[in-house]
Amino acid sequence: MPKSVVVLTTPGDLQAFAVIESLRRRGLDPFVWFPADFPTHEKETISFSGNQLDFTLKAGKREVRAFRADTVWFRRIGSNSDFSALHPADRMFGWAQCKAFREGSLQILFSEAFWVNPPATAWLADNKLYQHSLAVRLGLMTPPSLFTNDPTEIRSFVRSHHGEAIYKAFPAAAWKNGEDLFACHTVRLTEADLVADELLAVTPGIYQALVQKRYEVRLTMMGAQPFAVKIFSQDTEKGRLDWRRAYDEIRMEPTTLPASLIESCRLLMKRLNLVFGCFDFIVDLSGDYIFLEVNQQGQFLFVETYAEVPLLDAFTEFLIHGSEFSWRGKGSGIRYEDVANIAEELSEAAALEHVSNPIPSVAE
């Protein structure tokens, strides 16, 4: 029987649409689900009769009942912020009901499927404080780190590192103020850069000692299979502190990591109950691997573009074979560049029919 794959995503997620097209070229017809359509553009019903659970999804002219899945890719869940039909005083109530329904429904649907990654553990695994604590327990090297909203502790930490400190946000964040778009990257800190105490107190953050780098490593784990690349961030002008700022000049190449490091990453994924994750490491001037974080739904196809690692092919096989996945270096041969244009067309078409994940606006 052909494998049944469900992909949860949002319009604009080019990586998801590239994988969807790759699955189709292998003869599969994945069910693409846009959870951000709920509740304004989508109706969902879960009913129980005795021990029988039934699920119905209605979206426009599409109605789906009791669909099954061998694999579910929990890629991007999205959210719908349009509660304008409600009185302003009731909008928080409506949002809370939708959140509870979505969290509950994802826990019980496709209970026999192979999830990439399981919803409950995915949400927890995304928490940088939680994953950092597990990494420390497993013996991974980490920078001296402070997670706090205490201005006294923040100032003392930055002062003790003589300005050689950085700030990171807990989750990735982007927001708008009118026409201005803001995004939060890693930034270097001196004590003079710190804002007023009352502002520090209401925005908990991550403060770490600045680590001098040889280069960085991006490790993509699919099950037990590692795919690693060196990122030569220190060869760039804009990407020395945060390589994401230097996409236009960054250089990468495939690399092999120490077996002990790979085993530690496998153990961390097991503790986090993940089957997929993108790890970020610094390699310091002594050659030590310094763990920064693991993103349970990180971007990975850009690595194929820069370093010619066949991650689209491998990930498609991963979705098809699930827990039986074993990469031997050769799949169907479909490359990201083969499907990139179609992925963009699929994304644009989805944006016309489905709710895009909005960027929060301070004006709302």
Side-chain angles (χ1 to χ4, degrees):
M1 177 182 294
K3 288 295 185 79
S4 174
V5 178
V6 173
V7 178
L8 285 79
T9 189
T10 62
D13 185 3
L14 291 177
Q15 182 159 281
F17 289 105
V19 173
I20 289 164
E21 177 61 20
S22 180
L23 287 165
R24 288 172 177 167
R25 293 189 180 196
R26 283 168 168 78
L28 278 72
D29 184 20
F31 180 83
V32 185
W33 185 2
F34 298 91
D37 285 354
F38 178 82
T40 56
H41 290 62
E42 178 185 282
K43 307 297 181 289
E44 297 179 27
T45 302
I46 296 174
S47 62
F48 296 88
S49 179
N51 61 358
Q52 178 67 37
L53 179 153
D54 292 306
F55 174 69
T56 304
L57 183 151
K58 298 178 181 177
K61 297 180 179 179
R62 181 169 70 166
E63 180 172 330
V64 182
R65 293 179 179 271
F67 53 97
R68 59 177 291 276
D70 296 302
T71 300
V72 181
W73 184 19
F74 186 40
R75 167 63 182 164
R76 292 282 185 266
I77 190 170
S79 62
N80 189 332
S81 62
D82 183 7
F83 291 92
S84 57
L86 294 173
H87 186 280
D90 297 331
R91 289 171 187 170
M92 183 58 71
F93 173 80
W95 174 84
Q97 304 314 299
C98 290
K99 180 175 183 289
F101 182 92
R102 170 60 68 234
E103 291 177 354
S105 66
L106 288 179
Q107 300 308 312
I108 63 175
L109 296 175
F110 318 119
S111 58
E112 302 300 319
F114 177 76
W115 281 82
V116 184
N117 286 293
T121 54
W123 285 317
L124 182 58
D126 265 335
N127 187 285
K128 290 185 174 66
L129 175 55
Y130 180 63
Q131 61 179 243
H132 187 97
S133 69
L134 290 180
V136 169
R137 288 184 219 171
L138 291 171
L140 286 164
M141 296 183 67
T142 59
S145 302
L146 185 73
F147 299 76
T148 187
N149 74 323
D150 185 330
T152 301
E153 294 291 339
I154 294 167
R155 294 183 186 281
S156 175
F157 181 86
V158 174
R159 190 181 309 121
S160 70
H161 290 284
H162 310 289
E164 298 292 299
I166 62 163
Y167 163 81
K168 297 192 297 189
F170 274 92
W175 64 98
K176 293 190 300 183
N177 185 9
E179 295 300 315
D180 296 323
L181 176 64
F182 300 91
C184 192
H185 293 284
T186 301
V187 293
R188 188 170 182 169
L189 280 180
T190 66
E191 195 172 1
D193 296 320
L194 295 173
V195 296
D197 285 1
E198 57 267 29
L199 300 179
L200 294 174
V202 296
T203 52
I206 304 170
Y207 301 86
Q208 294 181 324
L210 180 67
V211 178
Q212 298 300 320
K213 309 170 185 177
R214 281 189 183 178
Y215 56 87
E216 297 177 65
V217 167
R218 181 77 163 194
L219 168 65
T220 303
M221 293 290 294
M222 301 180 193
Q225 179 66 47
F227 301 86
V229 296
K230 289 182 180 180
I231 303 175
F232 296 97
S233 57
Q234 303 311 287
D235 295 346
T236 71
E237 289 297 323
K238 296 180 291 185
R240 290 175 181 171
L241 190 63
D242 188 333
W243 58 262
R244 295 172 298 175
R245 294 176 177 268
Y247 277 115
D248 57 338
E249 56 178 316
I250 206 76
R251 183 170 63 88
M252 303 180 191
E253 68 178 29
T255 190
T256 300
L257 301 181
S260 59
L261 181 65
I262 295 297
E263 184 57 27
S264 293
C265 293
R266 288 173 179 150
L267 288 172
L268 180 56
M269 289 180 64
K270 184 176 180 180
R271 293 285 187 91
L272 293 169
N273 197 24
L274 299 179
V275 299
F276 174 85
C278 297
F279 289 76
D280 288 316
F281 291 91
I282 289 171
V283 177
D284 68 12
L285 300 183
S286 299
D288 291 324
Y289 291 84
I290 311 299
F291 171 83
L292 297 179
E293 63 184 74
V294 54
N295 187 328
Q296 66 87 21
Q297 282 300 342
Q299 301 290 88
F300 57 92
L301 291 183
F302 73 92
V303 173
E304 178 169 324
T305 301
Y306 283 91
E308 298 184 359
V309 180
L311 292 179
L312 176 61
D313 208 4
F315 188 76
T316 306
E317 292 290 320
F318 182 50
L319 292 184
I320 292 172
H321 296 288
S323 60
E324 304 299 320
F325 170 72
S326 178
W327 180 250
R328 306 189 187 283
K330 186 177 181 180
S332 68
I334 297 175
R335 299 171 300 174
Y336 180 44
E337 65 180 28
D338 297 331
V339 302
N341 289 338
I342 293 177
E344 190 166 347
E345 292 172 4
L346 292 172
S347 175
E348 291 173 355
L352 298 175
E353 298 182 21
H354 300 279
V355 176
S356 297
N357 201 23
I359 298 174
S361 173
V362 297
E364 292 179 353

